[in-house]
Each structure stands twice: as C-alpha cells, then as structure tokens.
Amino acid sequence: MTGLHSPEVSVLETTDVYSHLDPAALRHADSLKWTLYGEDVIPMWVADMDYPVAPAILNALQDRLTRGLGYPQLMGDPLLTRLIQEKAATQGLTDLPAEGVALLPGVVPGIFAAVHALTAPGDGVLTMLPVYHPFHLSINDQRRVVQAAALKDSGTRWEIDWEALEGAVTPSTRLMLLCHPHNPTGRVWNAEELGKLRDFALKHNLYVCSDELHADLSFADALFESFAADPRVRGRTVTLTGPCKAFNTAGLGIGAMLSHDAALIKRLKTAVGGLMGHPSALSITMWQAALQEGGPWLAETVAYLRGNRDLLQAFLAERFPYIKSYAVESTYLAWLDVRSHPHAGDIQQVLLEQARVAIHNGPVFAPDPQKADYQGFIRVNFATSRALLTEALERMAGVLGGDVE
Ligand SMILES: Cc1ncc(COP(=O)(O)O)c(C=O)c1O
C-alpha cells in the first residue's frame, strides 16, 4: 500500500487514510489531544485534526532538514512574505505592503500583542460571546476590561446582536477583537455583516484585530472575505492569520499579523519587543509549502470535513432532537446547545466519565469561566474519521438518551 507520506501519494488516497485512522497510533505520547484524558476516551476537544500532515509539507520539511538549522530569515522571509501577500489578496487584502506583513510564533501571541499595543490598562476591548478563550485571557491578563456582547440565536444560525454590541461600547473602548470565521459557532460573517461591522468600527473609532485563522476551512461556495478588504478600515485593522488550522500544524507554531498600515505593525512589534520571539525555521518551510503546494490537499480535506459536518448534523437531528445546533459554515468545531437535557449542568463530566468522550465545556468561551455562562453548551471537534465520529456520537446517545422530559 502506498503510504500517505510517500511523495507520489494522490489526494484521494489522502482522504482514504482519514477513513482508516487508528486510535492506538493517534494516542501517541506526543499528542496533547489524545493523552490528556483516559486511554479509552475519544478526544473531541482541542482544535487539532486527527489527520496526518500534507505530503507536500512533509517532503518540504524533510528537505529542509538536510540543510542546517541556523537562524532562518527571521527579519521577514521574502518568499513567505510574497506568498502571504498573494494569498491575502485573494481574500480582499489587495496591495498589502511587504512591511505590513510580520511573522509571529503563533496567532495567540498576535492577539496579546494587539491588546497590549493598541490599548492601555483600564481600556475597554470588545468581544462577541461565546468566543475562543485566549481572546478574554489577552484582555483580562493584561488588565484591560472585557466589554462583551453575546451573539444571538436567530433560530437558524448565530448572529451578531447589534443592539448588544452598541450597548457594550463605552468612551473607553479602543479595540474590537473579531473572530472571523467564528470559533466556536462556525459562522463566517457575510458581506452584509462585515459592512455593518466596518461601519460600527468607524463610528466608534475602534481599532480592530481580526483573527482569520480558520478562513481556509470555509464550507461555503463564496470566497472568504477579510474584514479589512474594505479600504475604509484598513488603517485601523490588524489581521491575524496562519496555517495551523487548515494544515494541522499547530505543533510547529507560526502565524502572521497583516496590516495595510505598516506603522501599525511596527507599533505592535515595538510594544512587545523581545518578548515575542520568532518562528522556527521548520515552521517557515512548512508554511511556504502549504501556500505553494497545499491547495489540492486542502480542498480534499475540506470536502472530507464537510462530509463529517453533515454526518454530525444528520445524527443530531435524528437521535438528539433536543440538542440545538446549526451546520457550521467554517471550522471543524460544532457548537451544541444541550441546555434542555437534565445533565446540562454537568454535561462535560457526564460525557467524559460515562460516555468516555472529551469535549470543550461551554463556560470556557465566556470571559469568566467560573460564572458558568454557557453552561449546557459544548464544542465538539469533528475532524476525525467517520468511524470515530460515529462511535463518539453513539456513546453520547447511549448516555444522554434520545429524549428529554
Ligand atoms: C480563532 C483562533 N485563533 C487562534 C488559535 C490558536 O492559534 P496559534 O496556535 O497559532 O496560537 C486558535 C486555535 O484553535 C483559534 O481557534
């Protein structure tokens, strides 16, 4: 059999491998996802995919290892910068200057840097709830003030609550942290919503940090549009991007901050100075390969993930009529509202201890997890084989049952 890692492997064989994942091999001591909980637990929590890295990336890494591992082009790798500029242009960030591209050791450091550079202690920073938890850590840990507006459930999808957003702004608000596509609801903000968000940022004179890390995992036919695609907001926006979600390379750690205003990038760099560190040589090689050769692999992977998303939604509709969840438009993370179940109050423990399935608990996605906002919601990572996904859902059904009183 041709191994996934051989250079000549076809993309169809790639997704065939996804259908035959071996939990024993995945449960390697290297993997946080597979080792945090017990041996018999199916892990559907942290946002890694269970799939091997793209052959093009593996080949590039192997080739890179044949050369020395001295300092890479850490002042700004010219090839990677150009590839990032080209990629950004396809998402509406046309004419991005090379000085407006700065590499990061990961996207989360970019979130922290944006909060640090663009606000002062005591300033307000806007977020929309629920959201990926480092958004709130970056505000709370740096003694800024979370000003959160909850998204609203329209009955067909999660939407921005414009009144709540207006209500959350104060004269001390300096920055809006946007998650686009949105983790954990899987929304990709559409053209109308992006237009309103831009008007909102202009009206309140806000900086915007738009975390677009999941942009390449979109299931929609429409091309992904960056928040800063509109020239009106380019001077006030830092866009964060990276390869780790689409190419499953979080262990290599790299990202980039982008802005049409090179001075804004300089401001972020200066504010964090030597604390930021630099990306590794292997991560730079990996991202180059992903951008140059990873397209077909990514298309196959997204198609496979779309199938998993549909399997999940169909299973939920048929077997868990009391769970509310909308098909995600991007990401491999589904946001499930299980509040009507009698075990809503201890859903994570019940699923872990009885179903042996590990999920992310709702309160993690609120500013103060101790307050238990979003208790009864769970985030489920469906980037695994259909067999493992089905097994996890069957286990959940066995414990939660098909009906609630
Ligand atoms: C929206 C978002 N931003 C950032 C990250 C993490 O990025 P990194 O590992 O590059 O710091 C994640 C990881 O799941 C994420 O979902």
Side-chain angles (χ1 to χ4, degrees):
M1 197 187 98
T2 317
L4 173 69
H5 295 156
S6 65
E8 72 278 12
V9 76
S10 85
V11 286
L12 285 174
E13 285 172 83
T14 296
T15 53
D16 189 48
V17 169
Y18 299 172
S19 298
H20 298 95
L21 297 175
D22 174 7
L26 291 166
R27 197 173 290 109
H28 191 280
D30 287 340
S31 167
L32 172 68
K33 181 185 185 184
W34 278 84
T35 54
L36 188 70
Y37 299 102
E39 281 230 329
D40 56 341
V41 169
I42 301 181
M44 309 184 91
W45 61 290
V46 73
D48 275 348
M49 301 196 273
D50 285 340
Y51 314 140
V53 78
I57 290 179
L58 195 76
N59 290 338
L61 289 174
Q62 281 168 341
D63 175 59
R64 182 68 184 79
L65 285 171
T66 64
R67 301 190 296 280
L69 285 176
Y71 286 115
Q73 298 286 357
L74 46 87
M75 315 296 186
D77 184 89
L79 172 60
L80 184 54
T81 301
R82 180 171 61 73
L83 293 169
I84 292 172
Q85 284 171 300
E86 287 169 7
K87 178 71 200 300
T90 67
Q91 299 177 337
L93 302 185
T94 45
D95 307 317
L96 194 63
E99 307 74 48
V101 178
L103 296 181
L104 299 165
V107 165
V108 168
I111 302 173
F112 274 73
V115 171
H116 192 67
L118 304 176
T119 68
D123 282 349
V125 182
L126 271 185
T127 61
M128 287 176 233
L129 302 185
V131 79
Y132 177 59
H133 53 285
F135 276 44
H136 292 130
L137 293 177
S138 72
I139 304 169
N140 288 328
D141 291 0
Q142 301 188 95
R143 290 183 293 115
R144 277 64 171 172
V145 179
V146 173
Q147 296 177 319
L151 296 172
K152 66 178 180 200
D153 179 351
S154 74
T156 52
R157 63 181 183 181
W158 288 93
E159 290 185 354
I160 295 169
D161 184 334
W162 298 103
E163 270 181 36
L165 205 57
E166 282 289 349
V169 185
T170 69
S172 78
T173 315
R174 297 277 168 277
L175 171 69
M176 175 162 66
L177 291 184
L178 186 65
C179 198
H180 171 50
H182 187 261
N183 173 4
T185 67
R187 279 300 315 280
V188 179
W189 307 118
N190 64 30
E192 190 193 340
E193 290 165 318
L194 287 173
K196 285 174 86 169
L197 282 170
R198 290 168 187 140
D199 292 344
F200 177 84
L202 287 164
K203 176 178 164 193
H204 295 287
N205 195 21
L206 302 177
Y207 288 114
V208 178
C209 174
S210 185
D211 178 339
E212 303 185 356
L213 182 57
H214 292 262
D216 283 338
L217 292 172
S218 179
F219 303 125
D221 291 333
L223 280 180
F224 176 84
E225 183 180 320
S226 284
F227 173 80
D230 183 336
R232 291 184 306 149
V233 293
R234 285 182 170 173
R236 60 180 67 243
T237 306
V238 175
T239 304
L240 300 177
T241 185
C244 77
K245 294 301 130 182
F247 290 96
N248 205 29
T249 55
L252 280 179
I254 191 169
M257 49 185 173
L258 319 176
S259 181
H260 284 81
D261 182 359
L264 211 51
I265 295 295
K266 198 165 174 205
R267 188 162 156 192
L268 263 69
K269 277 182 166 175
T270 309
V272 288
L275 291 174
M276 181 61 89
H278 60 82
S280 69
L282 292 182
S283 67
I284 292 173
T285 297
M286 172 274 291
W287 201 358
Q288 289 169 343
L291 289 171
Q292 284 181 305
E293 299 172 74
W297 180 94
L298 181 61
E300 283 294 316
T301 301
V302 169
Y304 190 86
L305 289 171
R306 186 190 288 117
N308 281 15
R309 176 201 65 174
D310 295 345
L311 184 159
L312 172 70
Q313 286 305 125
F315 196 105
L316 292 173
E318 196 182 319
R319 305 278 296 280
F320 294 108
Y322 53 89
I323 293 185
K324 267 170 82 183
S325 135
Y326 307 119
V328 296
E329 298 163 341
S330 176
T331 81
Y332 45 78
L333 309 165
W335 183 238
L336 275 46
D337 178 352
V338 196
R339 282 175 301 169
S340 57
H341 194 275
H343 271 300
D346 57 353
I347 188 76
Q348 183 187 32
Q349 295 95 301
V350 166
L351 289 177
L352 182 61
E353 286 162 19
Q354 296 179 34
R356 309 305 284 158
V357 172
I359 49 77
H360 250 327
N361 207 25
V364 168
F365 300 90
D368 180 359
Q370 303 306 327
K371 283 197 182 149
D373 290 338
Y374 294 99
Q375 183 62 48
F377 286 84
I378 58 174
R379 194 192 74 175
V380 174
N381 176 344
F382 57 80
T384 188
S385 66
R386 306 241 160 101
L388 278 167
L389 178 58
T390 306
E391 162 79 15
L393 290 168
E394 287 290 355
R395 288 187 189 189
M396 288 166 67
V399 168
L400 299 181
D403 226 340
V404 285
E405 291 300 303

